[in-house]
Amino acid sequence: MTESIREFTSKFGLPRLIITSFFILICATSVLIGLPFGSMLSDIIRRFGMYGILVLAMVPAIQSGIGPNFALPLGILCGLLGGMISMEMGLVDGMGFWGAIIISLPFAVIVGWLYGLMLNKIKGSEMLVATYMGFSAVAFMCIMWILLPFKHPEMVWPIGRGLRVTISLDSTYGQILNNFAAFKIGKVNIPTGLLAFFLISCLVVWLFTRSKVGIAMRAAGDNPKFAVASGINVDNCRVIGTTLSTLLGAIGIIVYAQSFGFYQLYMAPQYMAFGAVAAVLIGGASAKKAKISHVILGVFLFQGMLTVALPVANELIKEGNLSEVLRLIVQNGIILYALTQVGGGE
């Protein structure tokens, strides 16, 4: 019996076992103190779908050998730009949502390709350079959001120039995926369209990794020297992985925004990569290996913890801002643990 437990712990991973146990504990606590667990479970499912593709963007980056993509804001900014152009063109509902994705893809391909070429020049320092690259791109776009010639009245400030910090999607395509074929099980809302979009995206990425190009990309990431000896162009594979990761980041932010109901510009994308990296690492990925299962498990655990921790903390600690402090400790503690695993892995 003891040997079976050890084998399970070794396979599942002690850190994930601890995080899962803590998640179950706070869920049980929420029920015991009388919180509306049905609504919280609905929120967990919604957050699982809306953050999923941003975390999925880590898979091709890690598999191609560049490691966790801390420059995810590059893809996010491409998605935001596509969303702004879609709104400026007056596209709404399904046309607006799919238009935003289609418009963002060329930007993401070009940016991802150029970024991949740059990473090939600085092999060994990818994560450090990626972090600075993401921060620099966000700062640059803070200027561009003011200078770009957008005129849509729901996007620009009524006085002065530039885009608003937060742009509502209520009149365009807010909640379009969440509401598609949605249904209820008791008090739990199931956003069918949102979950289906995320799972189909996972399936597409999984099929790509099983294709000839995907297998070559994984081989290049696992063992570059063996890949070169086998006739694989490692640099090209790294560029493909970077480009695909950037594409998924662009799509992911549009899916996230339609579920959230707003686009958030300026400094909002700056730290989004850290949560995505933390989620995939918590799910079982390492700096060199990542699978779709790591994404699904990691997103559920990470977002589940954040969703349940705050209302439980609010109920247990009602004085001042201690509940918010506790939430930040939980959130940043999970991210800190996950980032310590970047250099390790299973």
Side-chain angles (χ1 to χ4, degrees):
M1 181 68 175
T2 304
E3 189 173 335
S4 299
I5 294 174
R6 286 178 181 173
E7 185 179 347
F8 172 77
T9 303
S10 176
K11 186 175 181 181
F12 190 69
L14 181 60
R16 277 179 297 288
L17 190 60
I18 293 172
I19 291 171
T20 303
S21 300
F22 183 62
F23 175 58
I24 294 172
L25 176 63
I26 60 175
C27 286
T29 303
S30 70
V31 173
L32 291 175
I33 62 180
L35 292 176
F37 188 71
S39 62
M40 284 194 295
L41 185 56
S42 298
D43 200 26
I44 292 172
I45 295 171
R46 180 182 63 84
R47 290 167 69 100
F48 171 77
M50 67 187 281
Y51 280 93
I53 299 178
L54 292 173
V55 181
L56 183 64
M58 295 297 138
V59 173
I62 293 173
Q63 288 187 349
S64 65
I66 68 168
N69 186 8
F70 284 95
L72 185 64
L74 291 176
I76 290 173
L77 291 170
C78 292
L80 291 174
L81 183 58
M84 297 303 98
I85 296 174
S86 171
M87 290 186 68
E88 182 73 9
M89 294 171 63
L91 302 178
V92 298
D93 300 327
M95 287 289 291
F97 174 74
W98 290 107
I101 290 178
I102 292 170
I103 293 168
S104 70
L105 294 185
F107 295 111
V109 169
I110 294 170
V111 170
W113 177 67
L114 292 174
Y115 177 57
L117 293 178
M118 187 193 74
L119 288 183
N120 284 337
K121 304 294 184 183
I122 46 93
K123 292 178 182 176
S125 303
E126 289 92 345
M127 285 184 283
L128 179 63
V129 171
T131 303
Y132 284 117
M133 194 69 190
F135 285 5
S136 299
V138 170
F140 172 74
M141 286 306 295
C142 284
I143 300 172
M144 296 308 295
W145 295 135
I146 297 174
L147 298 180
L148 290 172
F150 290 108
K151 303 294 183 183
H152 195 288
E154 294 184 21
M155 296 164 54
V156 299
W157 293 108
I159 300 176
R161 61 181 301 180
L163 296 176
R164 301 169 189 253
V165 177
T166 302
I167 298 174
S168 174
L169 296 177
D170 287 344
S171 63
T172 51
Y173 47 86
Q175 305 285 321
I176 188 169
L177 289 180
N178 297 52
N179 294 333
F180 180 77
F183 64 95
K184 275 191 172 187
I185 300 177
K187 295 183 179 180
V188 180
N189 295 314
I190 307 297
T192 309
L194 180 65
L195 296 179
F197 193 97
F198 170 46
L199 296 177
I200 290 171
S201 299
C202 289
L203 177 61
V204 170
V205 173
W206 182 84
L207 290 173
F208 172 80
T209 62
R210 264 58 185 176
S211 69
K212 185 177 179 180
V213 176
I215 292 171
M217 187 183 76
R218 286 192 293 151
D222 287 341
N223 193 327
K225 291 183 179 179
F226 176 78
V228 170
S230 302
I232 296 172
N233 189 320
V234 173
D235 285 354
N236 281 353
C237 290
R238 286 163 58 93
V239 171
I240 290 171
T242 306
T243 303
L244 183 55
S245 180
T246 307
L247 277 170
L248 289 170
I251 296 170
I253 195 61
I254 295 170
V255 173
Y256 172 93
Q258 67 80 35
S259 183
F260 186 57
F262 300 91
Y263 278 119
Q264 292 180 298
L265 306 181
Y266 298 96
M267 299 304 293
Q270 182 159 327
Y271 294 104
M272 294 191 77
F274 290 95
V277 173
V280 75
L281 294 175
I282 287 169
S286 69
K288 294 185 178 180
K289 293 186 182 295
K291 299 187 294 187
I292 303 300
S293 59
H294 296 152
V295 173
I296 293 172
L297 177 61
V299 175
F300 184 79
L301 285 177
F302 187 70
Q303 295 302 326
M305 288 277 291
L306 297 185
T307 301
V308 181
L310 181 57
V312 169
N314 279 333
E315 190 67 24
L316 296 178
I317 308 173
K318 298 184 177 180
E319 297 182 8
N321 293 320
L322 289 178
S323 61
E324 178 63 14
V325 172
L326 182 59
R327 184 190 70 81
L328 290 174
I329 290 172
V330 172
Q331 173 178 324
N332 295 320
I334 294 172
I335 293 174
L336 180 62
Y337 156 71
L339 296 182
T340 63
Q341 305 305 303
V342 170
E346 299 169 15

